[in-house]
Amino acid sequence: GWFRLPELMGKRTVFRQYRPAARTVALAGNFHDWTPNPMVRLQEGVWELALPLPPGEYLYKFVVDGDWQADPNNLHLVDDGLGGFNSQLLVPS
């Protein structure tokens, strides 16, 4: 099983997803007014995006081929008010 939580690398938070069958993967969250940011496909179905996020609490989802989904690797979920969940991330200071 491929399992990756967002991780702090220097001053950037790196988001990764293993979605080998996806044509497009984007990241959306309250850090960019929920505007999807395209992720880059690396090798063998791994998608990645690094963002400079200041310390704080964030909510996010992945947009996989147009389908908005909570991060399946993150068990910290918050009701999104629309019948689903947002993933929660805390960037430490």
Side-chain angles (χ1 to χ4, degrees):
W2 195 91
F3 180 86
R4 291 284 161 92
L5 289 171
E7 63 182 313
L8 191 60
M9 297 184 77
K11 294 186 178 190
R12 294 182 176 266
T13 301
V14 180
F15 295 82
R16 291 187 189 96
Q17 280 290 289
Y18 179 66
R19 303 293 180 123
R23 290 170 295 158
T24 62
V25 179
L27 174 70
N30 61 354
F31 38 79
H32 283 143
D33 293 324
W34 294 97
T35 301
N37 293 281
M39 297 179 77
V40 175
R41 184 182 179 121
L42 302 177
Q43 74 287 347
E44 300 182 21
V46 176
W47 298 77
E48 181 178 281
L49 181 65
L51 297 175
L53 296 178
E57 185 178 313
Y58 299 98
L59 301 175
Y60 69 96
K61 284 189 176 187
F62 291 103
V63 185
V64 181
D65 294 333
D67 183 31
W68 291 62
Q69 305 171 8
D71 184 344
N73 297 319
N74 187 344
L75 300 178
H76 300 282
L77 301 172
V78 176
D79 189 322
D80 67 4
L82 302 170
F85 295 94
N86 293 320
S87 298
Q88 184 179 38
L89 172 68
L90 178 62
V91 176
S93 52

